[in-house]
Every structure is written in C-alpha cells, then in structure tokens.
Amino acid sequence: MESVCFTGACPDMTREELTEMAEEKFEVKTSVTKDLDILVCADPNAGSSKLEKAKKNGTLIISYEEFQEILDEDEYEGFYSIVQTRKILKYIRDNYGMECVRIKPKKAESPLSMTASKFGGLPYWTAGEEFPKDVEGHILTLLAQINFSDVPHLPDYPEKGLLQIFILADLSLGRDMDDDGTTQNYWRVVWRDDVDESLALSADALHEMGVHSAEEIMQKEHERRDSQMKSGKKLTLEHDFPLEKEYALTFEKGISHPNQMLTEYNDMAMSAAKEFGYPVYEDPQGSFSEDLDMDDYFCEDSKDGNLHQIGGYPFFVQRDGRSEDEEEVLLLQIDSEYNTDVNISLGDDGIANFFITPENLKKRDFSKIRYYSDCY
C-alpha cells in the first residue's frame, strides 16, 4: 500500500474526513520521510518544511484536487493507477534527463551578419566555392546556420565552426522519399571549421550567383500568385519554404526529457515499474491510467511548447525516425512554431530532425548526416 501525507488546508473537507477517505487506499502518514510516496498540498509554492523536504526527497507532490481524482478513480486489471502512472512518469523524467541546448528564434529587425546563427536569411559563402544545388541543378536555400561560437558547449559537440543546412524551396522540404534520408539529393549540409567575416560574399554578390534568401523567394512567389489571381489564371505553386522571414537565434542550455515517441520509452517505463514493485506489462504505455491527461507530462520541456534544439532527445510526430541499424544523436531539431514574431511551418505542424552518429560527431565529419521530417 502506498503512503500519503497532507500539508495545508483541504478546501472541501476537514483533515479528519480526508484521512478517513484516504485510508481506504493509502497508508496515511503525519510526517514526510524518504519512503513517502505522495505529499498532497494546498499550494506547491508555499515553502513549508514538509514541502521542502518532499522536494528534496523526490516525493510525488500533488494538489488536493488531483488527490480527489485519485480517490474517485476506478481500478482496472492490466492498468496502472493514476498514482502508479504518475510515479513511473516522474521516475523517467528524474532519471533519464539529457542535457541539450534550446534554440530561441526571433524575427530579425535588420539583415543579420553573414556569419550569424540564423534560420533563413543569406548564408556565409566565399568566392570560388560552388554553391549547393540539388541533383537536378536547382540552387538550394538556407534553412539554418548555426555558429557554434554562439552555442553553450555540450560534450562532443563543436565549440566553434559553422553548420549550414540548405534545402530545396518546394513542398518536399528537401526530403527524398525514395531514400533513407542520408542521400543529400535535395538538401545539403556544409560544415566549416573556421569562418572569416571579411571573406563573406555580399548580398549583391550572392544574388548575382542566383542565391536568394527564403524571404526573397517567398516574396516573389506571393507576388506571382497575386498576379495570377488578378488575371484570373489558375493558381500554381513554384516555390515553398518552411519560413518566410530571417530569424536571429539565441541559445540556452536545458534538460531534455524522454517522450513517448521514442522506441526506448517502454524499456524506461518497465525499469520504473520494477523499481516500484509494480506489475511489469509488455506495453507499459498502453497500461498507463486513462484518467490521467498525458499532455501534462510531455512537450513541457520548452516554456512556449516549441522544441528547437541541439542535442537531447528528439521529438517525432508519427514515429521514432532514428536509424534502426546504428546509434544516432540529435545534431539539430527545428519545430513548427506559430506566434506573433515567429512563423515556421514544416508541413502540417511537422518537425525536422538532423542526426549524426557519435563517432562522426567527434570526428567533425558532417558529410554523413541523416535528415528525417514528419508531420500530422
């Protein structure tokens, strides 16, 4: 039987009434100990000695309203209870967190420097270099440029150098459905160990080469479609891109937590169930309590709900898109985001992931990247 302790006033009943109800399912304790399972409180920010001790011990802390839901819960064979589910989820978050770097985009008020970290915009390029093109000879467009001098350091990741990702400006987002995401037919990764701002080609020089930013391409596309509408012609699509503005990027270290789209999540849940002495089901996720809103436990790693990041656990929309044949780590993840300042649309609320093997990351061999993108 799991144990529970109360702190603060319950709004709907006396402590005696609450204790009497709780004793049907729990062992009620009067103090917080290391083996306490749940602390029920009126205010999780109250700063009481019980709360502080429970936080230090890693005890599950819930509100009186949530505890009432637990008391009202019907138990079903083959399913974890709300408490068991919450403890499993908390165990996974507490024990499997991974350091990452969160990326925050913001609309650039003026053109960024050629060596700046950015989504969209014009890339750093030098004279005499052949610009990235797809297999059919079309010039590719800059999706992302990461100057690792701006990025808080993660183990094995670069401390300097420039990562550039180019894709074809059409509905495919550069994806080639006929390969495994490693053949850079319609997208390209460029890595530079060093950059020199004085060597960067100007915007005019890039334009002369036929290179344009996403904003420039999409502005012309909108003008072309407006002309078709005014003339009564059938609307056609020539170009498309996930973003239509240049976004400046800032970086901050964070902790990435596992999500249910990962193939290893079930193994993590099984380990948690064993730790607590719960039944170990073959499909733990399918046995989580149906009375618990799972949206409260996932995607909260980013305050605004968007998951642009370097390193950490990747997020997927449909399925785990990592290779089944070799270990891969997340080089860069770009998420769809819609707000007053940022508009990034990777298909229908999609997400783009770029993976690299740990060995190639350590060697700084960015020629073997895998690109996986999916959407709803």
Side-chain angles (χ1 to χ4, degrees):
M1 180 179 288
E2 286 163 319
S3 57
V4 65
C5 180
F6 305 105
T7 183
C10 176
D12 300 320
M13 64 184 76
T14 66
R15 180 65 60 84
E16 290 75 18
E17 291 172 328
L18 181 64
T19 298
E20 184 178 349
M21 291 181 63
E23 285 177 336
E24 296 179 10
K25 289 187 175 183
F26 298 92
E27 175 189 357
V28 179
K29 293 188 174 184
T30 57
S31 61
V32 174
T33 58
K34 286 188 176 181
D35 60 351
L36 179 70
D37 293 298
I38 307 170
L39 178 66
V40 184
C41 65
D43 180 5
N45 299 312
S48 69
S49 58
K50 283 185 177 179
L51 264 171
E52 294 307 311
K53 194 172 182 180
K55 290 176 181 178
K56 186 177 180 180
N57 293 342
T59 304
L60 180 63
I61 300 172
I62 64 174
S63 67
Y64 280 102
E65 182 181 1
E66 291 172 310
F67 188 64
Q68 187 62 55
E69 293 175 359
I70 292 169
L71 294 179
D72 295 340
E73 176 188 21
D74 293 325
E75 296 182 4
Y76 299 98
E77 186 177 353
F79 284 86
Y80 294 115
S81 68
I82 291 177
V83 172
Q84 290 173 331
T85 301
R86 290 189 65 152
K87 287 189 68 176
I88 289 172
L89 294 174
K90 185 177 185 302
Y91 179 92
I92 292 172
R93 286 182 61 82
D94 289 348
N95 289 275
Y96 294 100
M98 184 188 303
E99 196 173 38
C100 70
V101 171
R102 301 289 186 202
I103 304 173
K104 181 69 176 177
K106 182 180 180 180
K107 185 171 68 174
E109 299 302 328
S110 58
L112 300 173
S113 74
M114 293 303 184
T115 59
S117 295
K118 61 182 81 173
F119 289 162
L122 289 170
Y124 173 86
W125 209 256
T126 62
E129 293 183 283
E130 183 179 356
F131 201 83
K133 297 179 181 178
D134 71 4
V135 292
E136 296 167 8
H138 300 113
I139 292 177
L140 300 181
T141 304
L142 182 69
L143 173 65
Q145 179 170 284
I146 307 296
N147 190 327
F148 274 88
S149 297
D150 303 332
V151 179
H153 182 57
L154 293 175
D156 296 333
Y157 286 76
E159 295 186 62
K160 66 181 184 67
L162 198 69
L163 176 73
Q164 298 173 305
I165 297 177
F166 301 85
I167 65 173
L168 184 65
D170 70 1
L171 282 173
S172 72
L173 303 176
R175 297 167 300 181
D176 186 346
M177 299 306 178
D178 294 329
D179 74 5
D180 62 355
T182 60
T183 305
Q184 298 183 28
N185 287 332
Y186 301 99
W187 61 280
R188 196 69 49 82
V189 171
V190 175
W191 169 255
R192 302 172 184 275
D193 290 311
D194 297 290
V195 292
D196 184 342
E197 182 77 39
S198 67
L199 298 179
L201 292 176
S202 66
D204 288 341
L206 288 170
H207 292 157
E208 288 178 8
M209 294 169 55
V211 177
H212 296 279
S213 69
E215 182 172 2
E216 293 165 341
I217 289 173
M218 293 310 297
Q219 184 176 341
K220 288 184 178 180
E221 178 67 11
H222 290 313
E223 291 172 355
R224 188 187 62 81
R225 292 186 213 173
D226 288 343
S227 176
Q228 286 182 328
M229 289 183 64
K230 290 177 181 178
S231 63
K233 294 181 180 179
K234 181 180 178 181
L235 287 179
T236 58
L237 177 69
E238 288 187 4
H239 298 288
D240 197 17
F241 209 75
L243 48 90
E244 298 186 12
K245 300 291 182 183
E246 181 179 30
Y247 296 110
L249 307 180
T250 55
F251 304 90
E252 182 179 357
K253 272 195 176 181
I255 299 297
S256 171
H257 295 99
N259 60 79
Q260 288 180 295
M261 299 304 296
L262 303 174
T263 54
E264 65 265 35
Y265 198 87
N266 266 350
D267 290 337
M268 295 176 179
M270 287 181 181
S271 295
K274 291 177 183 177
E275 178 71 19
F276 296 125
Y278 297 157
V280 179
Y281 300 118
E282 185 176 346
D283 178 20
Q285 294 189 62
S287 298
F288 286 162
S289 171
E290 296 180 349
D291 294 324
L292 192 65
D293 186 355
M294 302 305 290
D295 289 341
D296 292 340
Y297 295 88
F298 300 100
C299 302
E300 77 279 28
D301 285 337
S302 178
K303 293 179 182 178
D304 58 9
N306 301 105
L307 295 170
H308 314 292
Q309 65 185 40
I310 296 168
Y313 291 103
F315 192 84
F316 304 99
V317 175
Q318 299 287 346
R319 64 174 182 86
D320 192 326
R322 292 170 298 179
S323 171
E324 297 179 0
D325 301 321
E326 57 184 352
E327 181 185 359
E328 293 179 329
V329 296
L330 182 61
L331 179 61
L332 177 65
Q333 178 172 278
I334 304 176
D335 195 4
S336 293
E337 178 172 355
Y338 313 98
N339 57 56
T340 55
D341 292 323
V342 178
N343 191 328
I344 300 174
S345 180
L346 290 151
D348 187 4
D349 287 333
I351 195 161
N353 291 289
F354 296 88
F355 298 105
I356 187 171
T357 66
E359 180 183 3
N360 286 333
L361 179 61
K362 291 176 183 177
K363 292 192 302 183
R364 306 292 185 258
D365 181 359
F366 294 93
S367 64
K368 300 173 183 177
I369 304 295
R370 203 164 62 80
Y371 170 30
Y372 179 82
S373 177
D374 63 349
C375 61
Y376 290 100

